[in-house]
Amino acid sequence: MEFIKIIVENYIATITINRPEALNAMNKVVVAELKKAMEECVKNDDVGVIVITGAGEKAFVAGADIKSMQKMSGREALEFSREGQEMTMVIENSPKPVIGAINGFALGGGCEIALACDMRIASENAKFSQPEVALGIIPGWGGTQRLPRLIGKGRAIEMIIGGEMIDAEEALRIGLVSHIVPQPELLEKVYTLAKSILKNGPAAVGAALECIHQGFDKHLENGLDIELNAFAELFETDEQREGTTAFVEKRKPNFRK
Ligand code: CAA
């Protein structure tokens, strides 16, 4: 792949969006490559947690590539938006947890990729915004839908129609990220979180994520049904037997043979 690097180590896949000369802005090729990278990591048995970050110290992703959008027709824009949304759905639907390591500007499509991740950890220099309206367009990779769900409708409306850029502290305050660390410590912090998740049953982690994502917008009773079935299904797995037996035998479970 031209713009994406994947490194797999100790069950952690680090996907780096690597187009630093354009602050990792994403044209159609980068979008397709990120989707493919995610699909490969989801399929790879040596991967338990996926980390998405940007190359360099300045940007996570500065958005969709504005130069490539300048002359798009409505029809081409529909396709570009659909491809971007599909890429974010592969991230959101991943049964393996995805952590966004937000190492700088996360603007427009960059903020939307961060929103599709299960968790977001930011470096102190990270900045977030949905600045599309300043370009005479709107977020096209899920921002109008995921941002209100994550931070609340009022604050999301302010960000989306105001286009303001917020710093890491404000992102932490409104729940857009869960931790801030100095930039040199960003990946270390993310890997510590990844390692703590990797100790747990992979099927259980995947099932928990699925329940949360599938149930989020549903009526409580429907969400509880999703949980009920997933809970029961885990009792048909070796993982449940290993986890509960290990507790009874006073030893650590061995989920990854
Ligand atoms: N698209 C294309 N190129 C971009 C880019 C983008 N989104 N963001 C930065 N670049 C390019 C710049 O054009 C520049 O390239 P050249 O040297 O060839 O001119 C290079 O990256 C470095 O950028 P700057 O010189 O602008 O760096 P700066 O430090 O002065 O400013 C910045 C940094 C504030 C992030 C500024 O680059 C910026 O505002 N970028 C655009 C951010 C934006 O509007 N993103 C939303 C895009 S729309 C979208 O994402 C739609 C969607 O929902 C899918």
Side-chain angles (χ1 to χ4, degrees), residues 21-23 25 58 62-67 107-109 112 131-132 139-141:
E21 67 283 3
L23 302 185
K58 194 168 168 184
D65 187 315
I66 300 169
K67 291 168 193 168
L107 313 179
E112 292 170 296
E132 288 88 346
W141 297 348

Side-chain angles (χ1 to χ4, degrees), residues 210-211 214-215 218 221-231:
E210 194 181 350
C211 288
Q214 298 290 318
K218 303 239 169 18
E221 268 86 6
N222 298 336
L224 289 173
D225 259 352
I226 294 170
E227 182 183 88
L228 182 85
N229 289 317
F231 184 79

Side-chain angles (χ1 to χ4, degrees), residues 99-100 102 114-122 150 175-179:
I99 309 174
I102 316 300
L115 289 169
C117 294
D118 295 305
M119 293 153 279
R120 285 151 295 278
I121 299 185
L150 189 66
L176 182 47
V177 301
S178 44
H179 305 276

Side-chain angles (χ1 to χ4, degrees), residues 5-6 23 41 48 62 73 80-81 87 94 108 113 122 127-128 133 136 153 164-166 178 191 209 234 251 254 256:
K5 281 198 241 166
I6 312 175
L23 302 185
C41 290
S73 65
F80 190 48
S81 176
M87 172 267 292
S94 165
I113 290 168
K127 295 222 165 22
F128 298 81
V133 287
K153 197 168 158 187
E164 74 181 301
M165 198 178 298
I166 63 168
S178 44
Y191 293 152
L209 286 176
L234 286 167
R251 61 171 174 84
N254 181 10
R256 294 174 198 274

